[in-house]
Amino acid sequence: MEPGKRESWRTTMLLAYQSLGVVYGDLSISPLYVYKSTFADDITHSDTNEEILGVLSFVFWTLTLIPLLKYVSIVLRADDNGEGGTFALYSLICRHANVSLLPNRQVADEELSTYRLEHPPETAAGHRSRLKDWLEMHTSLKTALLVMVMIGTCMIIGDGVLTPAISVFSAVSGLELSLSKSQHEYAVIPITCAILLFLFALQHYGTHRVGFLFAPIILAWLICMSTLGLYNIFRWNPQVYQALNPVFMLKFLKKTKKSGWMSLGGILLCMTGSEAMFADLGHFSYSSIQLAFTSLVYPALILGYMGQAAFLTQHHDFDSSYQIGFYVSVPEIVRWPVLVLAILASVVGSQAIISGTFSIINQSQSLSCFPRVKVVHTSEKIHGQIYIPEINWMLMILCIAVTVGFRDTKHMGNASGLAVITVMLVTTCLMSLVMVLCWHRPPALALAFLVFFGSIEAFYFSASLIKFLDGAWVPLLLALILLTVMFVWHHTTIKKYEYDLNNKVTMEWLLALSDKLGMVRVPGIGLVYTDLTTGVPANFSRFVTNLPAFHRVLVFVCVKSVQVPRVLPAERYLVGRVGPPGHRSYRCIVRYGYRDVHQDVDSFETELVESLATFIRLDALFRSSDDAGDGAAGSDVDYDPLRERRSSSENALTVVGSNPLRRRISYEYDDSHDGASSVEIRVESPGTTTGGGTIELVTAPPRAVKKRVRFLVEETSPDVEDKRVLEELHELCEARESGTAFIMGHSHVKAKPGSSLIRRLAIGYGYNFLRRNCRGPDVVLRVPPASLLEVGMVYVL
């Protein structure tokens, strides 16, 4: 046990060190601009020092109450299978209460390993939360909850625009002490824009090549800031620690009154980056993030702010308020090295928020809350490192526009502060719901949490909102645009699903139509993509009505997102039959979490064929066990606990992967053949070599990929049923040899006649504009264009 503990401690220490460059970059560089933004306009630095000491007291208690107490002590515990962030909280709430607006939910989703629920204590087992009932009964409350999550997401994206601008600008503005005012104006903006352009241009390469430098840079910056703070404290005012007394806050507000309240919009910037501790929880661990903050980041920040305040208490003769900043307290002999280190630290902090913006947009897209965009995974080894080209260039343009348009820390700080505090307010509201619905704590405790932290954040929020004309309009405008886009996309997606659900047809109808039209089955596998988990989609029925032919093996594929961060590969596929076995039609539901990586088309095709082969054999075993009776089934067959047994065979789905028989299937790729590749299906009886059969076929995949795939499926006895299984596997292999076609719907949406003007604008123009100018589902699902077949479909919603 002791060595294990030492190993665990070393792992925690290593993760804590690595978290410095990913989690704390943004928070660590906030001393560059907090005092500068606070003293920009509203208050002045007087000889009495009441203002600077009051600001220091506010900074200390803000850092103590929000990042340390709220996030490190409470919020970080609300992880979703180790993941954090706004969508993690929303996912937790949706799993414990029926408040999700996502379509195609299934009972089988609740059996996922990651679908973990916090069960109430035994003493409260019979008590049902009134809050839960209230939320589940009112659709308007569900919508309001989703809108609140969207607002938090929009503000995080807005922070991805504003934080790089203010961070890099504040770091480069250290040149103001070495250049004349005219030189400063002509140098700082171009240098800032050049650094931002360089930063965004390198995003598509990923950070895995230079990521190892991030933690040392932030560590060096924190040590530098702490050293400078200690130097200034002992050099200028060792008594500055007295300002940590909250009485100084009251004196500050009493003297400055409304101006002091308005200056809180600059003070709250000391919390910038606190949300990253929770959002990046999945990359590290609770203990490592807690250790890094409490032992290094928090003390370094306090010393840095105290050192600046100590220097300012002894210096009052500044030409203008813009000189009350970080660099004025840096000794001239080390000013240039500190300037270079600050610029590097600001780049690291900006990189962290840009990566976080990519991640939150990818999560929004997975939950149908954002238009489809192309997600590029920049590292094959490190999960979660992604790059979104169109979002990257939009962020770059907006970031440079903010820098050139505002040209000072005051307006950038006002804009960034409003975005930061709004996200924190959303987190506070969601956490209060998690306490009641997920942790089953008394409602009074959740209310106390909401009132205590919510009132503090609302106080700061009001001070930021009053700066609307001085820069705070930027995040509000961005949030309004993004919220409109997200809500229109999500609402129309839900309505399209409802339309498909109401217009689906049964397999019996399709079989009867096949007899009437003389349907032709062509060689190959046809993958029909649909959002439905039951029935035949209307676009496919329209397709076969006009062109009475489809593939020999037909698979209705539903790629859906589940309210969990990740789905284990062994539980990803739900497979079942559509129609009688002789029809060779199947349904495959592919489940992904909101942080999962979608597979490339080659691996997806291969796994799909493998899953179908496994299902065919399992289905035969289930049928034979049903015929033999419950007793024989219990002794001979290992039932899959996740199999849904319903009266209709179309609705009977098996989780392919969790059953032990899944492990008996193997792949062998042989690229040594110059001609076509071979596919071998071998059926063997356990413990004997006489009951099985072998089929070996030569195949030529459509993209000239040479493969050798072997399916090993156990057999119980060589009877008639097994011959049928062998024949079905044979046909599956022949269909794979002929190639795969991807059949997808190409939709056009129209509002119903008589709809309101807003609805016609949102659906008829807004959604169609987004659909035409964003990525299609074939790009998101990585479907090869040569194998794509689109079916036009008009939705009247």
Side-chain angles (χ1 to χ4, degrees):
M1 292 295 294
E2 193 65 22
K5 289 184 179 179
R6 285 197 296 267
E7 177 65 25
S8 176
W9 177 252
R10 287 196 296 268
T11 302
T12 302
M13 290 288 290
L14 178 61
L15 289 174
Y17 168 72
Q18 293 174 343
S19 70
L20 294 177
V22 177
V23 178
Y24 296 109
D26 192 11
L27 184 61
S28 299
I29 59 177
S30 58
L32 288 173
Y33 45 80
V34 169
Y35 285 143
K36 198 171 185 178
S37 299
T38 304
F39 288 92
D41 257 350
D42 303 309
I43 58 176
T44 57
H45 178 40
S46 65
D47 294 338
T48 62
N49 290 326
E50 289 184 350
E51 293 84 3
I52 185 62
L53 294 178
V55 170
L56 174 60
S57 185
F58 264 105
V59 167
F60 171 77
W61 287 105
T62 300
L63 285 173
T64 301
L65 292 177
I66 302 300
L68 182 61
L69 182 59
K70 174 189 168 183
Y71 280 94
V72 173
S73 301
I74 302 175
V75 175
L76 286 181
R77 300 179 185 274
D79 66 288
D80 182 11
N81 292 281
E83 297 291 340
T86 305
F87 275 105
L89 293 177
Y90 182 64
S91 175
L92 277 175
I93 294 171
C94 289
R95 295 210 301 272
H96 288 81
N98 185 22
V99 296
S100 174
L101 295 178
L102 283 178
N104 57 35
R105 296 181 65 188
Q106 294 176 283
V107 177
D109 298 339
E110 300 179 9
E111 301 295 336
L112 292 169
S113 302
T114 50
Y115 203 100
R116 180 170 53 88
L117 299 180
E118 300 280 350
H119 293 289
E122 301 255 347
T123 55
H127 175 71
R128 182 173 175 86
S129 172
R130 294 181 180 178
L131 177 62
K132 178 180 178 181
D133 294 338
W134 192 46
L135 287 173
E136 291 179 344
M137 284 190 302
H138 297 86
T139 306
S140 58
L141 294 178
K142 299 179 184 179
T143 305
L145 180 62
L146 179 63
V147 170
M148 182 171 63
V149 173
M150 287 181 177
I151 290 174
T153 302
C154 294
M155 286 299 183
I156 292 175
I157 299 172
D159 198 26
V161 173
L162 299 166
T163 294
I166 189 174
S167 300
V168 177
F169 179 83
S170 300
V172 175
S173 63
L175 294 171
E176 67 190 9
L177 300 179
S178 303
L179 302 174
S180 65
K181 189 172 183 180
S182 59
Q183 290 175 328
H184 165 258
E185 291 178 353
Y186 287 107
V188 172
I189 298 297
I191 293 175
T192 301
C193 293
I195 293 175
L196 291 173
L197 183 64
F198 177 76
L199 176 63
F200 283 100
L202 291 181
Q203 291 301 312
H204 72 282
Y205 292 108
T207 60
H208 56 284
R209 293 184 178 90
V210 294
F212 68 94
L213 295 174
F214 289 174
I217 290 174
I218 298 300
L219 178 61
W221 169 250
L222 291 171
I223 294 173
C224 171
M225 187 168 54
S226 303
T227 305
L228 290 172
L230 288 171
Y231 167 79
N232 285 318
I233 290 171
F234 289 107
R235 172 71 173 82
W236 300 108
N237 188 358
Q239 304 301 317
V240 74
Y241 70 89
Q242 295 178 358
L244 305 184
N245 190 332
V247 173
F248 282 86
M249 292 191 292
L250 299 178
K251 291 181 179 180
F252 170 78
L253 292 176
K254 184 178 180 180
K255 179 180 179 180
T256 57
K257 296 182 173 60
K258 182 181 178 181
S259 298
W261 165 64
M262 294 176 66
S263 69
L264 295 178
I267 295 174
L268 71 85
L269 292 174
C270 69
M271 300 183 289
T272 303
S274 299
E275 188 72 23
M277 287 191 288
F278 185 45
D280 293 322
L281 183 61
H283 298 293
F284 302 98
S285 65
Y286 169 74
S287 57
S288 63
I289 292 179
Q290 184 185 48
L291 177 65
F293 184 79
T294 54
S295 63
L296 181 60
V297 179
Y298 177 74
L301 289 172
I302 299 300
L303 288 175
Y305 286 115
M306 289 178 65
Q308 291 183 64
F311 178 88
L312 293 174
T313 57
Q314 303 299 320
H315 297 81
H316 306 88
D317 53 342
F318 297 110
D319 296 335
S320 60
S321 60
Y322 77 88
Q323 290 185 342
I324 304 179
F326 175 79
Y327 291 103
V328 73
S329 63
V330 178
E332 190 172 353
I333 192 173
V334 296
R335 191 166 290 163
W336 282 103
V338 172
L339 174 66
V340 173
L341 185 57
I343 292 175
L344 291 176
S346 67
V347 170
V348 173
S350 301
Q351 174 60 54
I353 192 64
I354 293 170
S355 299
T357 304
F358 292 156
S359 178
I360 198 73
I361 289 177
N362 186 41
Q363 295 175 38
S364 303
Q365 177 185 240
S366 300
L367 298 178
S368 302
C369 293
F370 201 86
R372 290 181 291 264
V373 291
K374 182 180 181 181
V375 178
V376 179
H377 299 274
T378 58
S379 175
E380 296 180 356
K381 298 180 180 179
I382 304 176
H383 179 84
Q385 287 196 359
I386 61 175
Y387 164 70
I388 305 177
E390 45 264 64
I391 299 299
N392 180 68
W393 301 122
M394 288 183 182
L395 289 177
M396 185 193 73
I397 293 171
L398 292 173
C399 195
I400 293 178
V402 167
T403 304
V404 175
F406 285 153
R407 308 177 74 88
D408 60 32
T409 308
K410 169 190 168 183
H411 291 85
M412 295 183 195
N414 293 336
S416 179
L418 184 60
V420 169
I421 200 64
T422 304
V423 176
M424 291 183 175
L425 271 171
V426 170
T427 300
T428 300
C429 295
L430 293 177
M431 268 301 303
S432 61
L433 292 177
V434 167
M435 286 182 173
V436 176
L437 300 177
C438 307
W439 293 355
H440 307 287
R441 297 292 185 264
L445 182 63
L447 182 62
F449 175 87
L450 178 63
V451 171
F452 180 74
F453 291 107
S455 60
I456 297 173
E457 292 161 355
F459 191 48
Y460 280 114
F461 179 80
S462 63
S464 292
L465 198 59
I466 203 69
K467 301 291 187 67
F468 178 81
L469 297 178
D470 292 329
W473 59 269
V474 172
L476 289 177
L477 179 61
L478 287 175
L480 180 61
I481 295 173
L482 289 170
L483 182 62
T484 303
V485 169
M486 294 174 70
F487 191 79
V488 167
W489 185 268
H490 180 78
H491 176 77
T492 310
T493 301
I494 297 298
K495 293 302 178 183
K496 283 178 60 181
Y497 174 79
E498 293 175 356
Y499 183 91
D500 283 335
L501 197 63
N502 294 329
N503 290 274
K504 69 178 181 180
V505 298
T506 62
M507 197 62 196
E508 289 74 14
W509 178 89
L510 185 62
L511 293 174
L513 183 67
S514 301
D515 296 336
K516 293 179 181 178
L517 299 179
M519 201 75 68
V520 178
R521 304 296 291 269
V522 298
I525 299 177
L527 302 183
V528 182
Y529 281 83
T530 175
D531 291 330
L532 300 177
T533 56
T534 59
V536 178
N539 58 356
F540 182 73
S541 62
R542 182 175 182 176
F543 169 72
V544 296
T545 302
N546 291 277
L547 182 64
F550 53 89
H551 296 80
R552 188 68 189 92
V553 174
L554 190 65
V555 185
F556 294 96
V557 180
C558 174
V559 180
K560 58 179 286 188
S561 293
V562 191
Q563 292 279 9
V564 294
R566 292 184 179 89
V567 176
L568 298 179
E571 299 174 338
R572 190 173 306 283
Y573 292 92
L574 270 172
V575 185
R577 292 192 185 275
V578 180
H583 198 262
R584 303 297 188 254
S585 296
Y586 311 90
R587 185 178 307 283
C588 181
I589 300 174
V590 189
R591 301 177 291 184
Y592 288 97
Y594 56 82
R595 281 189 178 269
D596 267 330
V597 178
H598 283 233
Q599 300 158 286
D600 60 80
V601 68
D602 288 327
S603 61
F604 174 73
E605 283 185 51
T606 304
E607 285 196 14
L608 181 63
V609 174
E610 173 193 352
S611 299
L612 291 175
T614 308
F615 167 77
I616 291 169
R617 185 55 186 155
L618 289 176
D619 188 60
L621 291 177
F622 283 125
R623 291 175 185 274
S624 62
S625 63
D626 289 341
D627 293 338
D630 293 338
S635 59
D636 295 334
V637 180
D638 187 1
Y639 277 97
D640 190 334
L642 300 181
R643 180 175 173 88
E644 296 183 1
R645 303 289 290 177
R646 300 187 180 96
S647 57
S648 173
S649 61
E650 180 182 339
N651 293 330
L653 301 172
T654 300
V655 179
V656 177
S658 58
N659 195 288
L661 293 179
R662 166 79 168 185
R663 303 191 183 102
R664 301 306 299 267
I665 298 179
S666 61
Y667 289 83
E668 287 186 11
Y669 298 91
D670 187 0
D671 294 334
S672 59
H673 300 283
D674 295 332
S677 61
S678 61
V679 178
E680 181 179 353
I681 300 180
R682 179 175 298 171
V683 184
E684 297 180 353
S685 299
T688 179
T689 58
T690 60
T694 301
I695 302 175
E696 184 167 352
L697 299 171
V698 178
T699 68
R703 281 173 299 282
V705 179
K706 302 180 179 65
K707 302 177 182 177
R708 180 181 179 85
V709 184
R710 178 178 297 166
F711 301 93
L712 236 60
V713 184
E714 287 188 352
E715 182 181 349
T716 53
S717 61
D719 53 14
V720 177
E721 185 69 25
D722 294 311
K723 293 180 180 178
R724 293 176 181 171
V725 171
L726 197 62
E727 180 183 353
E728 191 169 358
L729 291 172
H730 189 169
E731 291 187 20
L732 175 64
C733 199
E734 285 185 329
R736 178 68 181 90
E737 170 193 0
S738 301
T740 303
F742 299 81
I743 304 172
M744 310 185 78
H746 185 82
S747 61
H748 180 77
V749 178
K750 296 195 305 184
K752 291 180 180 178
S755 299
S756 64
L757 177 62
I758 295 178
R759 185 179 181 85
R760 291 200 304 271
L761 291 175
I763 293 179
Y765 294 95
Y767 180 83
N768 284 321
F769 174 80
L770 293 172
R771 180 187 57 80
R772 287 192 300 266
N773 292 277
C774 295
R775 304 283 183 172
D778 55 315
V779 176
V780 176
L781 297 172
R782 304 179 184 183
V783 174
S787 304
L788 176 63
L789 178 61
E790 291 187 298
V791 181
M793 187 74 184
V794 177
Y795 290 83
V796 181
L797 307 178

